[in-house]
Amino acid sequence: MKAIILAAGKSTRLYPLTSSLPKSLLIIGDKTIIDHQIESLIEADIHELVIVVGYYKEKIIDHLAEKKYPIVITYIENDRYENSHPITSLHFAKAYIEGPLIFFHCDVLFTADVIKAILANPNESVMPYRENVWDEEAGKIIVDSDGRVRELGKHIDENRATGEYLQVAKFGADFCRRLITVLDDRVRDGRDGYTIEALNDVVQDDSIRAIGLPFNGFAMEIDMIDDYEAAQKAWNEKIL
């Protein structure tokens, strides 16, 4: 099984921290975000990784070359990162989107527990979420009584949301095939945006079955300075 990480964007909401550094190389605790992510993948026995790079790509490549992790890394360059969004970045990795795979962005800090939880789940496509949590800026999820994901997005009202989508997922073969079609259509039509919008298009298809997985372990997204400071504090308190 492989994992795909999107790490191409400029992350301007984290300036000045990212004014000369890609977000994936921000330090949390004693190592970079991408180090935490890769070590979690290895602990969960995943040894193939595709990283979509763009902004300061050389710094990411050089950092990981120095680390010499026991994982096969393929780099895909989004040379349009200045004027594109995550959907375009994921489309650049289209040739590698085949299930099963693990997918997440470079700004999600987590431990190996979340990867192990979704791999242990027998369903082909699994999306972990934190129950009964709602934040205006976060991606939300709606899960029906059978555990099936019915809707994803920042647009979901508090009274409809099942919880917060944790931005890490496992996609099976059917999900991946539908995702490629969605990405092709959106890029062709100029409907770039956040990947959660494309994932929502996929789960809206009744032929695709993705299961929501309640998860209470450590996982958080780092979008802004406040998030970074909160992540530092949470990691030090709960992990170190």
Side-chain angles (χ1 to χ4, degrees):
M1 183 180 293
K2 73 169 70 69
I4 295 178
I5 303 176
L6 299 190
K10 293 179 68 175
S11 307
T12 56
R13 289 186 291 177
L14 276 162
Y15 277 17
L17 296 177
T18 54
S19 58
S20 60
L21 189 75
K23 179 161 53 175
S24 59
L25 295 185
L26 291 178
I27 300 291
I28 300 290
D30 62 346
K31 62 193 70 170
T32 69
I33 295 174
I34 203 165
D35 288 329
H36 288 297
Q37 293 174 330
I38 291 176
E39 289 178 11
S40 292
L41 291 175
I42 293 169
E43 185 178 335
D45 206 29
I46 293 175
H47 295 279
E48 182 179 355
L49 174 62
V50 175
I51 308 176
V52 182
V53 294
Y55 182 62
Y56 284 111
K57 65 181 185 297
E58 297 87 358
K59 291 189 176 184
I60 297 173
I61 294 169
D62 290 347
H63 173 80
L64 294 180
E66 183 179 334
K67 288 290 183 177
K68 297 181 180 178
Y69 285 117
I71 190 167
V72 176
I73 300 177
T74 300
Y75 295 99
I76 305 295
E77 182 182 359
N78 174 2
D79 57 5
R80 293 191 282 135
Y81 71 87
E82 289 268 13
N83 301 300
S84 67
H85 295 283
I87 283 176
T88 292
S89 281
L90 185 54
H91 192 252
F92 270 94
K94 172 182 171 179
Y96 296 90
I97 300 175
E98 55 183 6
L101 66 80
I102 301 296
F103 172 71
F104 52 89
H105 288 250
C106 69
D107 59 0
V108 185
L109 182 66
F110 54 82
T111 64
D113 292 346
V114 67
I115 303 293
K116 291 177 180 179
I118 58 181
L119 290 178
N121 190 290
N123 292 283
E124 289 190 354
S125 300
V126 180
M127 295 181 165
Y129 67 95
R130 187 159 288 117
E131 291 182 286
N132 304 316
V133 173
W134 188 91
D135 181 271
E136 186 173 359
E137 288 297 317
K140 277 76 73 175
I141 192 168
I142 296 176
V143 180
D144 67 18
S145 58
D146 293 328
R148 187 168 179 170
V149 178
R150 291 298 182 181
E151 193 171 348
L152 294 161
K154 294 187 175 185
H155 65 279
I156 298 173
D157 296 335
E158 186 173 7
N159 61 350
R160 296 197 303 126
T162 307
E164 178 182 338
Y165 171 50
L166 296 181
Q167 309 293 339
V168 184
K170 176 178 71 172
F171 300 151
D174 290 344
F175 194 107
C176 287
R177 282 190 288 269
R178 180 62 183 144
L179 177 58
I180 289 172
T181 299
V182 166
L183 294 173
D184 284 344
D185 290 347
R186 279 184 164 268
V187 171
R188 182 196 64 223
D189 298 340
R191 294 184 296 122
D192 202 351
Y194 296 108
T195 53
I196 197 170
E197 297 166 7
L199 301 183
N200 186 49
D201 290 349
V202 175
V203 300
Q204 297 293 306
D205 186 330
D206 287 338
S207 70
I208 303 300
R209 188 171 184 269
I211 296 300
L213 177 67
F215 181 78
N216 292 319
F218 188 93
M220 63 186 299
E221 191 174 15
I222 303 170
D223 279 329
M224 294 176 283
I225 296 290
D226 287 350
D227 297 332
Y228 178 70
E229 292 172 349
Q232 287 279 23
K233 185 174 185 294
W235 188 268
N236 289 331
E237 291 179 349
K238 298 181 180 180
I239 308 300
L240 299 181

